[in-house]
C-alpha cells in the first residue's frame, strides 16, 4: 500500500526499515544526535569543580565537568595522544585534572594539556593545541545541553523554540522555575525499542484509553484520544474529583509558586527533538531524556522535580512518582511490543496514522528532512 491509495483520513508512517536498519540508525546518529542540541545531565549533578559525568551522544563519548571558575565544560572523552578513553565511569570526581590511564597525559579542567611523560623535551607540542577538544555547552532549565557540531544551530530556535511552539510563549514554562527545582526521584529505563517509537508514543494519546487507566482517570479528556500536544497552548485539565497529579488522584505536594491560575490543575506535555520530553503539573515537573544506543534499544532517564523544601524535608513523593512511572512502563511495554512488528513483511511500507495522530506525520517529515531522504 502506498500513500496515494490511502483514505483521506489516514496518512502513511515511516517504513519498517526506519526502525530496524542499523545503517539508518547510524545516519541518525551522525545527522541528528551529533548535530543537534542534546540534553546530557542535571546541572546539580556537577556540584563542584572536578565533578564529572560521561555520556554517549550519537557515536561519541562526551565528558561533562565543572571547571575551576564554576562553569560547565564538555569535551570529547578521548585522549589526544593515542585515543584512550579518559574516564570509563558514568560519574565521578577528580581533584585538579583528568589523567589518561594509558600514558598519563594530563589535562586540567579547562582542557589544557598540563603534563605528560617527557613533555618538557617536546617544546613544540602546544599545551592548548593538544588539549582536550571541547564541545558547545548551554545550561537551561537546570540541565546541561551539548552540541557536537562545529557550528551549532541556534539554541534559541531549536530548543527554546520547541517550547514556544508548544506553549505559545517561553514565559509559560518559566513559571515552573525548573532551574531551581530538586530531583526527588530518578528512574532509568532500558527500553528495547527504537527511539522514534518512543517519541511517537509520547506525542499521541490515541492509545491512552487502552493502556493508561490511571492517567485517564486523572486527565479524563485523554480518553478521547487527543494528546495535549495536539493543540498549541492547551493543557489537559484534571478531573473534577481529582485533587492532585497522583496515582490515586489524592492531594499532591506544595504547588510551585510561579504557576499561574490558568496553569493550575492542568497537565502540559512538550517534546523537544530529538530526545527530551517535559511534563508540567502544578506541584512538580517530569523530565525525560532519551539516550538511543542501538536501532532497537534506548535508555530513558526520567527525573521527578519538586520544590527544594519538599525534597529536603523527606516528604512522601511516591504517589506522584508512581503515576508517571506506571505511564512510562505502560508506554515502553507498548513500544517493545511494536518493535518486532517493524521487521514484518507487512510493515515493509509502514502503517498508518489516524487523524488524532496526524502531527506525528510532521515528525516523520522532520526525520526524513534531517536524513536527506524521501518517503515513498
Amino acid at each position: 500500500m502506498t500513500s496515494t491509495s490511502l483514505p483521506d483520513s489516514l496518512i502513511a508512517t515511516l517504513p519498517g526499515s526506519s526502525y530496524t536498519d542499523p545503517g539508518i540508525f547510524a545516519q541518525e546518529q551522525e545527522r541528528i544526535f551529533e548535530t543537534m542540541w542534546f540534553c546530557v545531565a542535571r546541572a546539580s549533578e556537577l556540584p563542584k569543580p572536578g565533578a564529572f559525568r560521561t555520556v554517549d551522544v550519537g557515536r561519541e563519548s562526551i565528558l561533562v565537568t565543572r571547571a575551576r571558575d564554576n562553569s560547565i565544560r564538555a569535551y570529547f572523552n578521548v585522549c589526544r595522544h593515542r585515543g584512550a578513553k579518559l574516564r570509563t565511569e558514568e560519574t565521578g570526581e577528580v581533584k585538579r585534572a583528568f589523567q589518561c590511564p594509558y600514558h598519563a597525559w594530563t589535562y586540567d579542567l579547562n582542557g589544557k594539556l598540563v603534563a605528560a611523560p617527557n613533555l618538557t623535551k617536546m617544546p613544540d607540542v602546544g599545551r592548548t593545541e593538544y588539549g582536550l577538544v571541547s564541545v558547545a555547552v548551554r545550561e537551561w532549565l537546570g540541565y546541561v545541553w551539548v552540541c557536537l557540531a562545529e557550528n551549532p544551530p541556534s539554541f534559541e530556535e531549536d530548543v527554546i523554540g520547541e517550547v514556544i511552539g508548544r506553549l505559545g510563549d517561553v514565559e509559560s514554562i518559566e513559571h515552573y522555575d525548573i532551574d531551581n527545582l530538586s530531583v526527588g526521584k530518578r528512574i532509568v529505563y532500558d527500553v528495547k525499542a527504537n527511539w522514534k517509537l518512543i517519541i511517537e508514543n509520547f506525542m499521541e494519546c490515541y492509545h491512552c484509553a487502552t493502556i493508561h487507566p490511571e492517567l485517564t482517570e486523572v486527565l479524563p479528556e485523554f480518553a478521547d484520544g487527543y494528546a495535549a500536544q495536539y493543540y498549541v497552548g492547551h493543557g489537559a485539565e484534571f478531573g473534577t474529583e481529582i485533587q492532585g497529579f497522583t496515582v490515586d488522584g489524592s492531594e499532591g505536594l506544595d504547588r510551585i509558586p510561579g504557576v499561574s491560575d490558568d496553569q493550575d490543575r492542568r497537565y502540559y506535555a512538550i517534546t523537544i527533538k530529538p530526545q527530551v520530553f517535559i511534563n508540567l503539573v502544578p506541584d512538580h515537573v517530569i523530565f525525560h531524556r532519551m539516550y538511543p544506543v542501538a536501532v532497537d534499544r534506548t535508555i530513558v532517564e526520567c527525573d521527578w522535580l519538586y520544590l527544594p523544601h519538599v525534597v529536603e524535608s523527606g516528604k512522601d513523593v511516591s504517589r506522584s512518582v508512581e503515576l508517571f512511572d506506571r505511564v512510562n512502563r505502560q508506554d515502553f511495554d507498548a513500544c517493545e511490543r511494536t518493535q518486532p512488528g517493524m521487521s514484518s513483511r507487512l510493515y515493509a511500507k509502514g502503517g498508518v496514522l489516524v487523524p488524532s495522530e496526524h502531527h506525528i506525520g510532521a515528525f516523520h517529515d522532520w526525520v526524513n528532512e534531517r536524513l536527506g531522504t524521501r518517503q515513498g
Side-chain angles (χ1 to χ4, degrees), residues 247-308:
V247 71
D248 55 4
S250 58
E251 186 177 358
L253 297 148
D254 294 355
R255 174 176 158 181
I256 299 168
V259 171
S260 68
D261 290 341
D262 290 343
Q263 293 170 317
D264 194 22
R265 294 183 57 77
R266 287 185 180 272
Y267 162 83
Y268 298 85
I270 307 164
T271 301
I272 300 179
K273 297 187 293 289
Q275 45 87 248
V276 169
F277 306 145
I278 305 175
N279 309 269
L280 307 170
V281 293
D283 65 329
H284 64 283
V285 171
I286 307 159
F287 200 103
H288 296 72
R289 296 182 302 291
M290 293 195 305
Y291 301 93
V293 295
V295 71
D296 57 357
R297 182 178 174 224
T298 309
I299 302 297
V300 183
E301 197 168 83
C302 185
D303 291 343
W304 281 259
L305 306 169
Y306 303 86
L307 290 169

Side-chain angles (χ1 to χ4, degrees), residues 201 207 211 329-339:
N201 173 277
H207 68 276
I211 71 172
R329 294 179 190 280
Q330 290 157 352
D331 281 339
F332 300 154
D333 178 72
C335 293
E336 290 182 343
R337 180 182 293 267
T338 303
Q339 181 66 39

Side-chain angles (χ1 to χ4, degrees), residues 309-365:
H309 74 263
V310 169
V311 176
E312 293 163 6
S313 65
K315 288 188 177 180
D316 183 10
V317 301
S318 61
R319 287 175 299 168
S320 57
V321 169
E322 185 176 353
L323 174 57
F324 226 84
D325 180 40
R326 289 195 190 184
V327 171
N328 283 338
R329 294 179 190 280
Q330 290 157 352
D331 281 339
F332 300 154
D333 178 72
C335 293
E336 290 182 343
R337 180 182 293 267
T338 303
Q339 181 66 39
M342 300 298 96
S343 300
S344 171
R345 70 183 70 180
L346 297 181
Y347 214 81
K349 294 184 178 180
V352 295
L353 301 169
V354 301
S356 65
E357 302 171 307
H358 273 204
H359 57 304
I360 295 174
F363 169 63
H364 292 166
D365 291 342

Side-chain angles (χ1 to χ4, degrees), residues 110-288:
N110 292 323
K112 182 179 179 181
L113 177 64
V114 293
N118 304 317
L119 184 59
T120 56
K121 298 179 180 178
M122 298 176 281
D124 58 332
V125 176
R127 304 296 184 95
T128 300
E129 181 186 359
Y130 283 89
L132 297 179
V133 176
S134 62
V135 299
V137 176
R138 286 288 297 265
E139 285 187 66
W140 191 55
L141 303 179
Y143 283 88
V144 179
W145 309 67
V146 303
C147 182
L148 277 54
E150 288 189 22
N151 298 299
S154 166
F155 188 88
E156 285 69 25
E157 291 180 12
D158 281 17
V159 178
I160 299 176
E162 292 262 36
V163 173
I164 295 172
R166 168 65 187 93
L167 299 180
D169 55 56
V170 72
E171 290 78 18
S172 293
I173 198 169
E174 290 173 348
H175 293 169
Y176 293 84
D177 195 24
I178 301 175
D179 300 62
N180 296 312
L181 299 182
S182 295
V183 178
K185 181 72 173 180
R186 171 173 293 171
I187 299 178
V188 179
Y189 306 86
D190 191 336
V191 187
K192 296 175 179 61
N194 183 272
W195 67 281
K196 297 187 296 298
L197 290 178
I198 298 173
I199 285 189
E200 293 162 15
N201 173 277
F202 186 74
M203 290 178 71
E204 56 92 358
C205 212
Y206 191 47
H207 68 276
C208 287
T210 308
I211 71 172
H212 293 321
E214 299 88 357
L215 185 63
T216 53
E217 184 73 22
V218 174
L219 304 173
E221 68 183 72
F222 274 12
D224 295 332
Y226 283 90
Q229 296 186 74
Y230 195 81
Y231 308 101
V232 174
H234 177 71
E237 192 170 3
F238 292 6
T240 55
E241 303 299 318
I242 297 299
Q243 294 180 284
F245 197 74
T246 58
V247 71
D248 55 4
S250 58
E251 186 177 358
L253 297 148
D254 294 355
R255 174 176 158 181
I256 299 168
V259 171
S260 68
D261 290 341
D262 290 343
Q263 293 170 317
D264 194 22
R265 294 183 57 77
R266 287 185 180 272
Y267 162 83
Y268 298 85
I270 307 164
T271 301
I272 300 179
K273 297 187 293 289
Q275 45 87 248
V276 169
F277 306 145
I278 305 175
N279 309 269
L280 307 170
V281 293
D283 65 329
H284 64 283
V285 171
I286 307 159
F287 200 103
H288 296 72

